[in-house]
Amino acid sequence: MKAVVLAAGQGTRMRPLSESVPKPMLPVADRPLVAHTVDAAIDAGAEEIVLVIGYEGETVRDYFGPEYRGVSVSYALQDEQAGTADAVNAARDHLEGPFAVLNGDNLYDRAAIDRLFDACPAVCAIEVAEPSNYGVLSTDGSGEGCVTGITEKPDDPPTNLANAGAYAFPAAAREWLDVPASERGEHEITDVVARVIDEYETTPITLERWLDVGRPWELLEANEWKLADLDRRIDGDVSEDATLEGAVVVEDGATVEPGVVIEGPALIREGASVGPNAYVRGATLIEPDAEVGHAVEIKNSVISRGTSVSHLSYVGDSVLGRDVNLGAGTNVANLRHDDADIRFTVKGERVSTGRRKFGVVAGDGVKTGINTSLTPGLKLETGATTRPGETVERDR
Ligand code: TTP
């Protein structure tokens, strides 16, 4: 079966991280987010991958090329992000026979994608506590049952099975992709799913684990998931006076200096340097050419390519974009004194992250002055700066 992977979205909720790097290419452990989806499809036996690209799509094409893991990869360009059905429709000329569609920004448990391909026509679902925030499947309730409908954000959900954005469609669905725009003005894949459900016996495939990576703290959660899957591997240059505990990966070309303690899961990528005397813990990703210097503690964070946290700093539960420079003594607070969930601004609205601990999100090129204090849930836009000694409590 061919697998269409949707990777043309703008990722507006992921800003500022998605401004120069398109969301599908943001780092999740040792590869871009979308590569986890493509890997799941290949592991399930996809015979060809069709990647739908749009916003900054060339970086996706450069990563995968014409062939990836021995499987042919082709590309369909979606000019305007007019919705998920429109995205699959852009790939129409590549399709014949039954085909799968996967969201390029979702992490799936691999075994379920296997079952999805085998059960075609089928829809992946995840059991959730509050289904009314999702597209919800109705089923006929017999055994694993059969899907009888799909409703967007229903007030009175018929099941707790949320649509998880992974589908195996019969060949006929290729002709049903041109659906009218929905109330929110997008051509939605759920309208295609509804027709498949009407015309075919469609199996629900329940996922054990799933993550929709739309907002910056979900990028942290994605890294928590995928870093935990790594096996310990030390290929880089590690001082005898460093202590590496648990599932730590130090890639070839990375340096770990004396006095460093790293508690896994942690991934130190090629060209990165840690130490001397640094402490890295939690699920932490240090990207290529990033520098974590003397007396710096990094916990449960993503430190992107080319970023420096060089001296005397604490960074917890945070995502730092590319080429960020934190001045000496910059500290991040990641916990409120009232223990309430940390809130974050997404498209102009303050929303709960659902996390008790969340630090800051810094866009590419952010520079902080020495002794800057950053409060929980802060967003620093691309290129933002702070003055020495500042306490920053509002997004900038
Ligand atoms: P969304 O998460 O709805 O959109 P997005 O990724 O652009 O993010 P945001 O809402 O923050 O702007 O998209 C779900 C998946 O579908 C994702 O993998 C991107 C893809 N997609 C397209 O390929 N084309 C489209 O027109 C849309 C809307 C989404």
Side-chain angles (χ1 to χ4, degrees), residues 297-313:
E297 178 176 348
I298 310 278
K299 180 226 154 192
N300 202 87
S301 293
V302 173
I303 310 297
S304 301
R305 195 178 279 271
T307 282
S308 296
V309 188
S310 301
H311 331 265
L312 305 161
S313 287

Side-chain angles (χ1 to χ4, degrees), residues 85-142:
D86 182 72
V88 184
N89 206 14
R92 197 171 175 277
D93 290 346
H94 299 254
L95 300 175
E96 77 272 311
F99 59 98
V101 175
L102 304 175
N103 279 345
D105 59 353
N106 286 187
L107 297 183
Y108 304 100
D109 77 73
R110 303 257 177 117
I113 299 302
D114 240 0
R115 285 189 283 132
L116 175 77
F117 281 25
D118 288 346
C120 180
V123 180
C124 278
I126 180 93
E127 288 186 21
V128 293
E130 290 184 29
S132 26
N133 297 329
Y134 299 85
V136 178
L137 304 186
S138 321
T139 60
D140 68 1
S142 57

Side-chain angles (χ1 to χ4, degrees), residues 342-362:
I342 310 294
R343 294 165 80 77
F344 188 79
T345 313
V346 176
K347 294 177 97 168
E349 248 183 75
R350 290 300 274 176
V351 298
S352 172
T353 62
R355 293 176 71 103
R356 229 179 103 248
K357 291 196 173 171
F358 189 58
V360 302
V361 173

Side-chain angles (χ1 to χ4, degrees), residues 5-15 18 23-24 34 52-55 78 80-88 102-106 184 186-188 212-215 346-347:
V5 176
L6 306 185
Q10 285 215 16
T12 48
R13 292 165 301 147
M14 191 59 87
R15 285 181 188 158
S18 53
K23 185 173 73 172
V34 63
V52 181
I53 56 173
Y55 177 73
Q78 187 193 19
E80 199 190 317
Q81 277 71 66
T84 42
D86 182 72
V88 184
L102 304 175
N103 279 345
D105 59 353
N106 286 187
R184 60 171 186 167
E186 289 191 8
H187 303 270
E188 320 253 6
D212 182 14
V213 184
R215 300 163 298 183
V346 176
K347 294 177 97 168

